[in-house]
Amino acid sequence: MSDAPAYTVVVPTIGRPCLAECLRALAQGTGEHPPHEVVVVDDRPASEGDLPLESAGHLLDRVRTLRTGGKGPAAARNTGWRTVRTPWTVFLDDDVQVLPDWSRRLAGDLREAGPDTGGVQGRLRVPLPPDRRPTDWERTTKGLENAAWATADMAYRTEALKRTGGFDERFPRAFREDADLALRVQRAGWALTRGARVTRHPVRPAHWWASLPVQRGNADDALMNRLHGRDWWHRARAPRGRLPRHLAVTGVALAATACALTGRHRAATACAALWTLGTAEFALARILPGPRTVREVAGMLGTSVLIPPLAVQHWLRGAVRHRHARPLGGAG
């Protein structure tokens, strides 16, 4: 496959155990068209202990490590790709596992990329338990299969990254930084396509309250609104989410409290009833498709009460914090 374009793999990591499986699968899946280098970017705030780089097997002599000190995945990817010397940069997350034929399919994806193609996305597959209904967390992870331009497996032409400035480091989490980059790459005149290669994305273990810290992403949505306009959802092929409903549910909860404090008891009762209905609808939407175990039902009930006000709080903070934000590079 010497005619296939050369590429470098960039893997940001915070030292999770899954990195070993990621590197092991990469070694097994890159025999036909190996990467020029594998750049592992250690984004732990404090590097305690060595990373399991030996899992890279026969690719170990191609592995290079960089450290960023906990600046976030956008900064880690930027640190990695800015050292790349190949025409293509392939980003992998440390919790994915490429399939055995990955390099052969990647070679085909890169060969077929026209000169105006700035990026080629891999196809993600999220395995779910075959013997029961998936939990809310598992269904959320399953949604990655339909995510557009997810950097869990995304190849970018290195020149496109240079022209656009790479990832916007104002996105501190692994959320929306990939959509932001994709929109800027397209705005710069490049096309983005979906390739044929397939990568496995297992569901990582999570606590029952895992959906609560996820609500911080609403601040990133507020930043996206500021940078790309309120129609960015459509252009980025992103699901709209439930923020409008969370705003309504939180609003009637606040109204119920205000009415009760001012002695308007009938209005307070009506608002409380609306809050109960909205919260019940949200909880049922999460419970009914799931396994309906006692633990799952209890977790969904508790988090369904807390998620709407948390989502609104993070969205408002993001809107205030980023009210003067401009797109990376000052364009737009």
Side-chain angles (χ1 to χ4, degrees):
M1 296 196 178
S2 58
D3 61 325
Y7 68 98
T8 298
V9 173
V10 174
V11 184
T13 185
I14 53 174
R16 295 184 293 187
C18 54
L19 175 64
E21 291 299 320
C22 175
L23 294 177
R24 187 174 295 112
L26 187 63
Q28 295 171 354
T30 53
E32 298 183 56
H33 184 43
H36 175 73
E37 281 188 312
V38 178
V39 181
V40 177
V41 186
D42 184 351
D43 194 44
R44 291 177 292 179
S47 297
E48 299 178 359
D50 296 329
L51 296 173
L53 302 181
E54 66 281 356
S55 300
H58 67 90
L59 293 178
L60 185 58
D61 61 345
R62 300 180 185 226
V63 174
R64 180 162 51 88
T65 58
L66 301 171
R67 287 187 172 88
T68 48
K71 295 180 179 179
R77 293 192 190 103
N78 281 341
T79 298
W81 76 258
R82 286 170 181 157
T83 68
V84 167
R85 300 186 299 274
T86 53
W88 287 88
T89 301
V90 181
F91 296 104
L92 294 176
D93 285 349
D94 68 354
D95 57 352
V96 303
Q97 299 160 10
V98 302
L99 297 190
D101 63 350
W102 184 81
S103 68
R104 177 176 61 81
R105 294 195 177 209
L106 172 65
D109 291 344
L110 300 186
R111 276 200 216 95
E112 294 172 9
D116 63 338
T117 299
V120 185
Q121 181 181 3
R123 299 178 183 271
L124 299 178
R125 294 292 179 265
V126 179
L128 296 179
D131 56 345
R132 60 167 174 78
R133 293 180 177 184
T135 63
D136 179 70
W137 180 252
E138 290 166 342
R139 295 194 306 275
T140 298
T141 306
K142 184 73 171 176
L144 290 172
E145 292 187 345
N146 299 317
W149 328 131
T151 43
D153 181 354
M154 184 74 191
Y156 272 109
R157 198 180 292 274
T158 307
E159 181 62 27
L161 295 171
K162 291 178 180 177
R163 291 189 189 181
T164 56
F167 294 90
D168 190 332
E169 296 179 16
R170 288 173 293 184
F171 291 92
R173 288 164 284 276
F175 189 70
R176 302 304 189 207
E177 84 292 354
D178 46 7
D180 168 75
L181 175 59
L183 291 178
R184 286 187 287 109
V185 167
Q186 290 174 314
R187 190 169 60 209
W190 302 91
L192 298 178
T193 63
R194 191 178 290 266
R197 66 191 187 278
V198 179
T199 294
R200 185 174 181 265
H201 192 305
V203 180
R204 68 178 187 268
H207 297 291
W208 64 267
W209 64 83
S211 56
L212 299 181
V214 168
Q215 302 312 311
R216 295 173 185 146
N218 285 281
D220 303 315
D221 286 346
L223 177 56
M224 288 291 288
N225 286 346
R226 180 64 188 171
L227 298 179
H228 300 287
R230 296 187 178 276
D231 65 338
W232 70 267
W233 302 91
H234 174 72
R235 289 182 285 118
R237 305 183 191 179
R240 184 64 181 88
R242 294 184 65 104
L243 182 62
R245 296 188 187 186
H246 293 335
L247 285 166
V249 169
T250 303
V252 295
L254 292 173
T257 302
C259 290
L261 292 174
T262 56
R264 300 166 61 189
H265 301 296
R266 184 173 299 178
T269 300
C271 289
L274 290 174
W275 174 83
T276 301
L277 287 173
T279 302
E281 182 275 329
F282 181 37
L284 287 173
R286 303 170 70 207
I287 291 170
L288 293 180
R292 306 181 194 177
T293 61
V294 172
R295 182 178 183 274
E296 177 77 358
V297 171
M300 293 303 97
L301 289 174
T303 55
S304 293
V305 171
L306 297 174
I307 283 175
L310 269 179
V312 172
Q313 180 185 27
H314 287 300
W315 178 75
L316 288 173
R317 285 181 176 176
V320 172
R321 179 178 181 181
H322 301 298
R323 63 190 182 280
H324 301 305
R326 302 285 295 173
L328 192 66

